[in-house]
């Protein structure tokens, strides 16, 4: 595999973003949800006008869960709604998006994911080569006198599978 192939895989499967999140629960009324949405719209306007993401969040300090850092989100990350990754992938670096789902609302600013590449390079290689390695193991098992154990092979490969 070349670095370009690995980077291409990485860029297709990971997105970096600054993330603020406010969960919705059953105690919130429709008016509460609308109020939170209005505040998120205000925060997004601040960032779109050139303000810092963290400064926008500070306007409503008790509203959102926020850590002043960029997060790397994998396409397979089940801690985020499925649609979030797809929508974030379509944005340009620096774009700000509000995404509202049944479980809560997100304010996201897409970031450059390249600073994460070196740390995730080996994980990408494992994911890219997993099927090929499985095929090779299956072929080797078929031609040997050893008994092929599908569950054992899958267990070993899944233990190497990371988000």
């Amino acid at each position: 595999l070349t670095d370009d192939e690995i980077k291409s895989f990485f860029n297709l499967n990971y997105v970096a973003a600054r993330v603020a999140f406010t969960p919705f629960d059953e105690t919130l009324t429709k008016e509460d949800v609308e109020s939170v949405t209005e505040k998120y719209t205000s925060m997004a306007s601040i960032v779109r006008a050139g303000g810092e993401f963290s400064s926008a969040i500070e306007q409503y300090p008790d509203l959102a869960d926020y850590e002043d850092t960029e997060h790397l989100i994998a396409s397979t990350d089940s801690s985020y709604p499925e649609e979030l990754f797809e929508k974030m992938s379509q944005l340009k670096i620096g774009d700000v998006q509000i995404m509202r789902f049944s479980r809560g609302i997100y304010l996201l600013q897409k970031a450059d994911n390249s600073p994460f590449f070196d740390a995730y390079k080996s994980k990408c290689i494992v994911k890219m080569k997993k099927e090929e390695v499985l095929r090779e193991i299956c072929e080797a098992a078929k031609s040997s006198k050893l008994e092929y154990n599908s569950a054992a092979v899958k267990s070993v490969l899944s233990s190497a599978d990371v988000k």
Side-chain angles (χ1 to χ4, degrees):
L1 290 173
T2 67
D3 259 8
D4 286 343
E5 290 171 319
I6 300 166
K7 283 179 185 173
S8 177
F9 179 88
F10 177 74
N11 290 329
L12 287 171
N13 290 281
Y14 295 92
V15 65
R18 291 198 174 276
V19 180
F21 174 70
T22 298
F24 293 157
D25 61 33
E26 61 280 347
T27 64
L28 290 177
T29 66
K30 183 178 179 181
E31 291 77 21
D32 292 334
V33 171
E34 290 306 317
S35 174
V36 169
T37 302
E38 287 174 17
K39 290 174 182 173
Y40 266 68
T41 301
S42 172
M43 291 186 294
S45 295
I46 292 169
V47 179
R48 287 181 183 128
E52 290 292 321
F53 194 89
S54 57
S55 298
I57 303 304
E58 289 171 3
Q59 301 296 311
Y60 305 99
D62 298 331
L63 182 64
D65 289 333
Y66 173 68
E67 196 177 311
D68 193 15
T69 187
E70 293 173 355
H71 298 267
L72 191 66
I73 303 168
S75 60
T76 57
D77 191 339
S78 61
S79 62
Y80 294 95
E82 284 182 38
E83 307 88 40
L84 186 139
F85 180 84
E86 185 179 321
K87 290 179 181 179
M88 285 300 296
S89 296
Q90 297 170 8
L91 299 177
K92 296 178 190 152
I93 293 172
D95 284 354
V96 177
Q97 184 75 43
I98 298 170
M99 294 185 199
R100 195 166 110 178
F101 300 95
S102 60
R103 68 184 227 193
I105 187 168
Y106 292 85
L107 177 64
L108 302 124
Q109 183 177 33
K110 186 166 182 180
D112 179 10
N113 66 359
S114 62
F116 294 96
F117 177 71
D118 287 338
Y120 282 78
K121 184 176 180 177
S122 62
K123 293 175 186 179
C124 290
I125 294 169
V126 168
K127 286 183 174 187
M128 293 172 77
K129 288 296 195 173
K130 182 177 178 178
E131 292 301 318
E132 182 180 330
V133 170
L134 180 57
R135 279 192 302 278
E136 289 176 11
I137 291 171
C138 290
E139 288 303 312
K142 288 177 187 175
S143 64
S144 74
K145 293 182 182 187
L146 299 174
E147 185 176 321
Y148 173 72
N149 183 330
S150 175
V153 171
K154 289 180 182 177
S155 174
V156 168
L157 291 173
S158 69
S159 69
D161 194 12
V162 289
K163 287 185 179 173

